[in-house]
Amino acid sequence: MFPYCKFLESLTQRNNTIHTQSPQTLRILDANLNRLREGIRVVEDILRYGFNHKDFALSLKALRHQCKLTSYFELLNTRNSQKDVLKTSTKYEQTRKNLENIFIANFKRSQESARVLEEILKLQNIQESERFKEIRYTLYTLEKEILTTLFAP
């Protein structure tokens, strides 16, 4: 077996608690991991390219890299983006007035996703659940620091 194949096999075998979850639960985890990372990335890129704020951008990048579970391929196999019953955006989701609105929307998106991950992971893996709780609280802190630094009157 090629070394890369052994590596991939080890990734899928590492976390047996994820393997015992239903396809519905795995799909919820996959969607919320994606949403969590996407929301963080939007804020990170605006800080990096729009504000040239290295410290905040690095904090978010480090946090984004913590947002993962070990059974990537198991999660990926449950993904069904084409049949997502709510993939159409609402008018509210399509409307943003300024960068502050984008920051707030994406912080909230990330916090909500971290909460869903925290709750769903309580079914099988309390340590992972607690990790996503910590990520959520870190997001609350960063939201306050970033918004009050960049947009406070």
Side-chain angles (χ1 to χ4, degrees):
M1 187 179 281
F2 294 107
Y4 183 70
C5 293
K6 286 181 184 177
F7 169 72
L8 292 178
E9 184 178 323
S10 72
L11 279 179
T12 59
Q13 292 175 353
R14 248 186 246 167
N15 191 343
N16 290 329
T17 60
I18 296 297
H19 293 278
T20 62
Q21 295 189 22
S22 71
Q24 295 89 350
T25 303
L26 292 169
R27 186 171 177 218
I28 294 167
L29 292 172
D30 179 57
N32 281 280
L33 277 170
N34 288 337
R35 191 175 295 127
L36 174 60
R37 288 187 298 251
E38 290 164 359
I40 293 171
R41 186 57 185 248
V42 169
V43 175
E44 177 189 331
D45 279 359
I46 294 171
L47 288 165
R48 179 180 177 183
Y49 301 114
F51 288 93
N52 294 313
H53 204 297
K54 183 178 182 179
D55 293 337
F56 282 151
L58 281 173
S59 293
L60 284 161
K61 182 178 182 177
L63 186 63
R64 182 171 47 83
H65 284 281
Q66 292 176 38
C67 301
K68 58 186 171 189
L69 293 169
T70 56
S71 57
Y72 176 75
F73 290 103
E74 185 112 21
L75 295 172
L76 187 62
N77 285 331
T78 64
R79 188 174 298 165
N80 193 353
S81 306
Q82 296 303 312
K83 292 187 179 179
D84 184 339
V85 297
L86 291 177
K87 72 179 176 181
T88 304
S89 297
T90 65
K91 292 287 183 193
Y92 178 76
E93 291 171 322
Q94 295 173 337
T95 305
R96 300 289 186 256
K97 295 178 184 176
N98 52 41
L99 289 177
E100 182 179 0
N101 286 163
I102 295 171
F103 272 107
I104 292 169
N106 282 280
F107 267 117
K108 295 305 177 201
R109 166 190 239 199
S110 298
Q111 292 159 357
E112 291 164 2
S113 295
R115 180 58 182 217
V116 172
L117 290 161
E118 175 188 341
E119 291 297 325
I120 297 298
L121 287 165
K122 287 177 183 177
L123 295 171
Q124 296 280 333
N125 191 328
I126 196 66
Q127 293 85 10
E128 287 293 298
S129 172
E130 287 296 312
R131 190 166 64 84
F132 282 97
K133 180 179 181 179
E134 288 301 317
I135 288 169
R136 181 167 54 91
Y137 277 93
T138 300
L139 284 164
Y140 293 147
T141 301
L142 286 168
E143 176 186 32
K144 181 180 179 182
E145 289 176 12
I146 291 168
L147 290 170
T148 58
T149 299
L150 299 178
F151 299 107

